[in-house]
Amino acid sequence: MVRKEMIAMLLAGGQGSRLGVLTSKMAKPAVAFGGKYRIIDFPLSSCINSGVDTVGVLTQYQPLRLNTHIGIGIPWDLDRNIGGVSVLPPYEKSENSEWYTGTANAIYQNIEYMESFNPEYVLILSGDHIYKMDYEVMLDFHKANKADVTIAVMPVPMEEASRFGIMIADENKRITDFEEKPAHPRSNLASMGIYIFTWKTLKAAFTALKDQPNLDFGKHVIPYCHEKGKLLYAYEFNGYWKDVGTLSSYWEANMELIDIVPEFNLYEEYWKIYTKSEIQPPQYFSKESKVDKSIIGEGSEIYGEVYNSVIGCGVTIGKGSVVRDSIIMNQTQIGEGCELYKAIVAEDTTIGNNVKLGVGEEAENDTAPHIYNHGLVTVGERSIIPDGVSVGKNSVVFGETTAADYPNGNLPSGKTLIKVGD
Amino acid sequence: MRAIGIILAGGSNHRMDVLSQKRAVCAMPIAGSYRSIDFTLSNMSNSHIQKVAVLTQYNAGSLNEHLNSSKWWDFGRKQGGLYVLTPAVTAENSNWYRGTADAIYQNLSFLKKSHEPYVVIANGDCVYKMDFNKVLEYHIDKKADITVVCSDIPEGSAIERYGTITMNEDNRIEEFEEKPLQAKSNIVSCGVYVIRRRQLIEMIEKSAQEDRYDFVRDILIRYKDIKRIYGYKTTEYWRNIAAVDDYFNTNMDFLKKEVRDYFFRSHPDIYSKVDDLPPAKYNPGADISNSLVSSGCIINGVIEDSVIFKKSYIGNNTTIKNSIILNDVYIADNVTIENCIIESHSTIKAGSYYKGDNGVKIVVERNERYTI
């Protein structure tokens, strides 16, 4: 008989719209991070490193990149005879077919998947954060407290607490109350969106709440369990945990990796981060090249200069080009004589010769200032930027552009140039 | 593909000096991120050969570790797969492999149980790309009994460590000299052969009855006038790495763009075991020129005209010139290294100075290393 003590359900269906063009063709968990990784690699690696070998990945928004990345789970050793990784998209039922309408609704629709493993505990994860966490320690905490629900929390500065879901716990870490984005927070323990449920508790909650529209863990399931007098505990996590939900936080988290001793260390032997590596050759530096304070992925060829940057795999940076404070993702080709400042360039992009990105005066983005800000210039995947043009700050380019798209060879700061439809 | 593959990965080799003291030549690291046998394995995989045996006995530790999973070369199949065959004591036989032909003889059941009509035999110490389908087509076209892949001798390589071939105008092999002192030809055997499976079984059994154990001497040379043995000449990049200078030069060849483009950026790819290493990291003070650096490295120093393999640490104010740094080497601060090969897992103390004056110097340093 199949039996797994704890299985994980990883919510990977969200768009992450505040990442702008980076998520216009892929779900947020599939976005590249740290040179060679994708965001979902961090929770998946934590699963296998914690001994959780059964993971259901719930997909909905633009799943192609995630599907090809995960495959049968070989990079994470999640290709198993029993369990392993399963990609779970929404599916048609004989009556009332629906999309995943909320975090808990998505899990509820896969109740048969969970049931098939006879789990005692279910770990709920989201594919949105950069962190390393030993879920086994969290499970031990859950068991020691005989808890029904354990919520991972992170102490945040009090002044930022009003941006999070806040848990109020007693001295034994039992949760007595919670508030969603409170104006006057009573605690600084922010929910990380990581839950361990005792399976019976979760199933009972689903039975009671199944008709609730947009069933959500934070809004419905946790309050329901609390009302019913279930034991809710807060598991305090003090390691590195970074939300990469906005372009500026995404850029910052990448830049933190290049510190001499980074707070988030990728070089630890005992907690490796796994990813699908298609590109294996070493990276090449030419005679004229210069590099300082950067990380660079496999197979990249550097003929220009790279400073304070995160460069993916299979990237070419041409002679005389200067890349500063930028993120260049896999397989992007940059021509000769270019200058890139605070640029985020997504995968498979081709940039011509003598192109300037991120130059000129600051100006607010005119279509989506809440997305494109902090002086960053963002280029979507598979874009083409022709020779000799310059692009300003807080601007965005996506699609196959030609010289005609740049009046006077210039896209001023704050402009949006998107030539790709859905 | 109508062939199975056999990779002869067994022999010891004194030309590799201390580099092969602890590992088989086939497991030598190449081009920053690969091992020698990856090239032949990838060629077989890319030629759609589904069933491959690796015959190994000498210092097979590193090689076995490298081959611990067959999935990286796409051999994790229900049909076929990768077989690592080491000598075994049986009721009939308690010998090590006494030669290449004997290695095949001791595993004859592998050949007998297969049903593919042809066998591709290759060695694991060469750097090349080859579509074995083309060799097989040629073999059938020529109605050959054995086809031997051959190449002009790589520049700068010593002919006395190869088998040389003389062919007639139809490419039938007329002379085959093993490791000649004075060569009559500058065409050398690449150690890749195509032969019909039943023909191979017959020849190997006959040799074994006569206590002959070497494939080249006792089959190729002995049968060359009786059987139709043809040469298939390749003009593409091909190097044998089984001598220190050739090993060094082959690695340095990867600093040339055309060699990198050929192996790394054109179809088909060469595969290797995936190590899950983080991207290479360059701290202030790093200055790299005309060099290859592999993943997992942390670089603080100056590197010129060198190949740095995986997971190495290069300290502050350290200079590395014209050298090869193998896997997992720790080089402390203020070190100078020139014209050297630094053996894997070495730890070089701060302030050391190593220079190869007459040719390449091999450095093996086992010092204490601080690790977490």
Side-chain angles (χ1 to χ4, degrees), chain B residues 73-247:
Chain B
W73 303 274
D74 214 10
F75 287 126
R77 304 281 129 213
K78 272 163 71 180
Q79 300 292 327
L82 186 66
Y83 298 75
V84 179
L85 304 175
T86 47
V89 177
T90 62
E92 296 92 45
N93 175 40
S94 58
N95 290 306
W96 291 90
Y97 295 155
R98 286 162 290 185
T100 43
D102 188 44
I104 299 173
Y105 179 72
Q106 289 194 29
N107 295 289
L108 211 54
S109 62
F110 174 80
L111 286 176
K112 286 184 166 170
K113 278 190 283 189
S114 299
H115 52 79
E116 288 83 351
Y118 295 96
V119 184
V120 175
I121 302 174
N123 47 20
D125 56 3
C126 294
V127 174
Y128 64 117
K129 265 185 179 181
M130 189 170 285
D131 183 353
F132 294 126
N133 289 301
K134 290 202 179 126
V135 188
L136 181 59
E137 268 167 38
Y138 176 91
H139 177 83
I140 293 166
D141 195 43
K142 290 284 183 194
K143 297 187 172 63
D145 290 305
I146 303 175
T147 297
V148 180
V149 176
C150 54
S151 161
D152 284 333
I153 182 163
E155 213 177 304
S157 203
I159 196 131
E160 70 264 15
R161 63 184 201 83
Y162 294 93
T164 61
I165 284 171
T166 313
M167 293 182 282
N168 69 11
E169 63 279 7
D170 188 37
N171 286 353
R172 185 165 172 181
I173 292 176
E174 291 181 326
E175 270 191 76
F176 196 117
E177 284 186 291
E178 182 68 338
K179 302 186 170 71
L181 286 172
Q182 197 165 19
K184 294 187 190 112
S185 157
N186 63 349
I187 298 174
V188 297
S189 162
C190 296
V192 176
Y193 318 107
V194 172
I195 182 169
R196 206 155 43 79
R197 185 171 56 89
R198 288 184 187 285
Q199 175 83 72
L200 179 64
I201 293 171
E202 189 188 301
M203 285 173 157
I204 292 280
E205 281 183 329
K206 193 141 183 265
S207 294
Q209 280 164 14
E210 297 165 352
D211 288 330
R212 294 173 185 274
Y213 304 122
D214 189 76
F215 188 81
V216 173
R217 252 196 333 265
D218 301 325
I219 291 179
L220 284 185
I221 296 177
R222 199 164 140 85
Y223 283 95
K224 75 177 187 319
D225 298 327
I226 311 163
K227 297 287 184 185
R228 293 166 61 85
I229 304 183
Y230 277 78
Y232 173 93
K233 182 111 180 271
T234 174
T235 51
E236 295 195 58
Y237 188 97
W238 176 84
R239 297 287 185 276
N240 180 288
I241 57 140
V244 171
D245 283 343
D246 289 306
Y247 174 70

